[in-house]
Amino acid sequence: MNSPAVRAPSERTIILLVAAVQLVNVLDFMMVMPLGPDFARALGIATSRIGMIGGSYTLAAAVAGVIASRFLDRFDRKNALAVAMAGLFVATALGGFAVGQWSLVGARVLAGFFGGPATSLSIAIVSDTVPPERRGRAMGAIMGSFSIASVLGVPAGLEVARHFGWRAPFFAVAGLSAVVTTTSLFLMP
């Protein structure tokens, strides 16, 4: 008995999924600095340390990107992206559970270790699936998610924090990450 043919997702679906991955990744990165005064006050962290907490993600993402570049091409991109996004989900949720400066720094470093490769994998997926004549347009659409995360995501995160506390944006982004990861697993080729 033959199984029914599975229809491959459209190019547009792949671009939307990759844009969603980038949206979550940038939200995860961008939300920390504006929330800094809130979590600094709640966790007893000196405001002079907020930059270190924000920068720990960036440094970890850079280091992870360089390390991952040596072996990521050996793995199926869909599965590697799922692992990166699952790690980002866990690390972002851990940020919401932080009890002090070092637990928050640890969560942000972990998030960066998974977020950096997620970006590389996203770009590789687009390069693999979108023909060169449409690739620039596809990348432009995906890069638009950076702007959306900055322009809409940051104020939304601040509003969520105002109503529900500084931890809520971490949990909201973690939840969004779980949805994007699950959807990608089912729809990504």
Side-chain angles (χ1 to χ4, degrees), residues 16 18 47 76 113 122 124 169 173:
L16 287 173
V18 171
T47 54
D76 174 72
F113 276 135
S122 297
V173 171

Side-chain angles (χ1 to χ4, degrees), residues 1-9:
M1 192 156 129
N2 292 336
S3 62
V6 177
R7 198 177 110 170

Side-chain angles (χ1 to χ4, degrees), residues 6-7 9 13 17 78 179-189:
V6 177
R7 198 177 110 170
T13 299
L17 287 171
K78 173 182 166 179
V179 169
V180 169
T181 302
T182 304
T183 304
S184 294
L185 275 173
F186 285 108
L187 295 180
M188 197 77 73

Side-chain angles (χ1 to χ4, degrees), residues 140-158:
I142 291 163
M143 294 305 147
S145 64
F146 284 80
S147 300
I148 292 169
S150 301
V151 173
L152 300 177
V154 171
L158 289 172

Side-chain angles (χ1 to χ4, degrees), residues 24 46 58 72 89 95 170 182 184:
V24 168
T58 307
L72 268 182
F89 158 73
F170 283 92
T182 304
S184 294

Side-chain angles (χ1 to χ4, degrees), residues 35-173:
L35 291 173
D38 296 334
F39 65 68
R41 188 173 34 261
L43 298 176
I45 299 170
T47 54
S48 61
R49 298 291 182 175
I50 295 172
M52 179 187 66
I53 294 167
S56 62
Y57 178 100
T58 307
L59 180 61
V63 169
V66 169
I67 292 169
S69 71
R70 301 176 66 70
F71 64 84
L72 268 182
D73 284 332
R74 298 180 197 157
F75 299 100
D76 174 72
R77 296 201 200 292
K78 173 182 166 179
N79 294 332
L81 183 62
V83 168
M85 290 302 292
L88 190 62
F89 158 73
V90 169
T92 303
L94 287 173
F97 289 114
V99 294
Q101 175 181 338
W102 296 111
S103 60
L104 188 54
V105 167
R108 300 310 299 152
V109 166
L110 190 61
F113 276 135
F114 288 103
T119 298
S120 302
L121 287 161
S122 297
I123 292 169
I125 287 169
V126 171
S127 296
D128 289 347
T129 58
V130 178
E133 61 271 9
R134 291 190 302 278
R135 199 171 293 150
R137 191 165 110 188
M139 291 305 292
I142 291 163
M143 294 305 147
S145 64
F146 284 80
S147 300
I148 292 169
S150 301
V151 173
L152 300 177
V154 171
L158 289 172
E159 194 63 19
V160 168
R162 188 170 73 83
H163 289 289
F164 303 106
W166 70 268
R167 295 176 192 274
F170 283 92
F171 297 134
V173 171

